[in-house]
Amino acid sequence: MAFLVAGTLRVASQMADTWESLGRKGKYSMQGPRVALLLSSPEVSASTVTVLEGVFRTLGFDSCQRREASVQGFQWELVRFREQLDAHGGPVGCAFVALVAPSQQLRQPQQLVQELSRCGALYGCPKVFLLLSSSPGAASKPRAFLTSLGELCGHCPHWSLLQLLTEVFCRTAEESSGAASCLVLRSSLRGALCLGDVEPWGPEPEPSPSAQYDLSGAQAALLLAVIQGRPGAQHDVEALRGLCQALGFETTLKMDPLAQAFQEEMAKFREQLDARRVPVSCALVALMAHGGPQGQLLGADGQEVQPEVLVQELSRCGALVGRPKIFLLQACRGGHRDAGMGPTALPWFWRWLRAPPATPSQADVIQIYADVQGSFPRGPIPGSSDQADILMVYAAAEGCVAYRDEKGSDFIQTLVEVLRADPRRDLLELMTEVNRQVCELEVLGPDCDERRKACLEIRSSLRRRLCLHS
């Protein structure tokens, strides 16, 4: 009994410290051991595995397991890994899982991500997934990515993982012999994740001017909002339009567009940008509407439009080649209402320990795709030119409800507040802070009296830091 109580108190202590650090500094405290798992299919070359193991050591992951299995066996290996962590008897600071397989075989990695998210030892802790293609034609790019990541972690230990990845994305693109190249990350982190073996509250690095997008040219925004049948949506429109104007965006607003009008307005927006005589530095598109069961947007006529089609339309804009394109999507992506995850114990016990509230079940995960095809269902292929320099922020995780009331949505209202407070910070870092605040909120679902949680999803192929206000 004494051992059980001691273990429970340790978990509660780590939870409280993590919660305090995220609230106080917006950074993960990283207390507890760092564990890594390398899953590779038999076709993977030994040199790729060697480079990857070196990256793990550089990042401070002393405990690294390597297992070889078919792609179909990855799920079982992750089950074993999760059970091993839960049986450890103590909290884990961070988990890093690398999945290496031939191109096009890792098409649906979300089941693997969800498996590790069920790990009790990793509750509230960051989980990093690295998905690498081992196809012969793409072998050099993952190795270049890994080498750059290892070097930067050694030279810039105070940098957050998002800062490191942005720099790595830039370097990898520059080393691709002029070919359009991009790597993609998918994040629900709630704070800065510093993997360097340093004290986490060190000074922030000063980025060089060349590491940032040049926003000296014109900036344009397109807001497409369905207000009809969406109480509170008008407040989101007003708040977002005011923010865009404060940041210097030339803003176009279209209310209650039909499904066909979504596509027409996006095409018109692209044509106007291409027709401009002055350079365009950045484009922002906000899509606000009801969502379908598979993540579709619903126009004012109730008809569906795929958001990926709108993204591809703007990606064809010649004036925006190499320029950042921001998409904000305030819409449901399914009908699941997340009750969140919390410690498995009696509620009064955790209240007595003053444990933090439940965390959204999809939070604290970052996935990094290096030349892995099919990682974005129904969307552009990572590695292709039309996927580069894009930041997409969803108000809800895949399959989940996006919440809104008569005052507006949690996502848009929090985003406007955070960006107005500190517009000079890197936009990826600001979006992570928005996610932290949204994850702390609790809402009452219309279907019951139980509290529900929400979590953003951030997808980025940005290759430089993006600061909207110089």
Side-chain angles (χ1 to χ4, degrees), residues 34-49:
R34 303 181 184 186
V35 295
L37 173 66
L38 169 56
L39 291 179
S40 60
S41 62
E43 303 89 344
V44 175
S45 66
S47 59
T48 298
V49 172

Side-chain angles (χ1 to χ4, degrees), residues 162-163 166 207-209 211-216 219 249 281-284 322-328 389-393 419 422-431 460-470:
L162 290 180
Q163 290 174 309
T166 301
S208 63
Q212 300 188 47
Y213 285 105
D214 179 9
L215 299 188
S216 59
Q219 302 178 62
F249 282 82
S281 293
C282 178
L284 183 149
R323 305 294 186 180
K325 297 163 278 288
I326 307 165
F327 291 86
L328 308 176
D389 306 299
I390 293 176
L391 174 64
M392 299 180 66
V393 187
L419 265 66
D422 194 0
R424 290 177 172 80
R425 282 181 60 190
D426 175 56
L427 190 58
L428 266 180
E429 297 174 2
L430 289 172
M431 290 301 177
S460 173
S461 61
L462 297 178
R463 293 182 284 185
R464 286 176 173 80
R465 289 172 59 89
L466 176 55
C467 302
L468 294 181
H469 196 290
S470 59

Side-chain angles (χ1 to χ4, degrees), residues 226-261:
V226 176
I227 305 300
Q228 174 183 312
R230 300 181 65 241
Q234 180 65 41
H235 295 294
D236 285 348
V237 171
E238 294 171 356
L240 197 54
R241 179 167 57 177
L243 174 67
C244 290
Q245 292 174 347
L247 293 174
F249 282 82
E250 301 174 18
T251 305
T252 302
L253 170 63
K254 296 296 179 181
M255 305 277 276
D256 289 325
L258 306 180
Q260 183 63 32

Side-chain angles (χ1 to χ4, degrees), residues 248-288:
F249 282 82
E250 301 174 18
T251 305
T252 302
L253 170 63
K254 296 296 179 181
M255 305 277 276
D256 289 325
L258 306 180
Q260 183 63 32
F262 269 91
Q263 297 178 324
E264 293 172 351
E265 291 296 337
M266 184 65 73
K268 182 179 178 181
F269 184 61
R270 174 184 61 80
E271 292 169 356
Q272 290 175 342
L273 294 180
D274 279 334
R276 297 180 67 105
R277 295 185 177 181
V278 296
V280 180
S281 293
C282 178
L284 183 149
V285 175
L287 307 172
M288 296 173 278

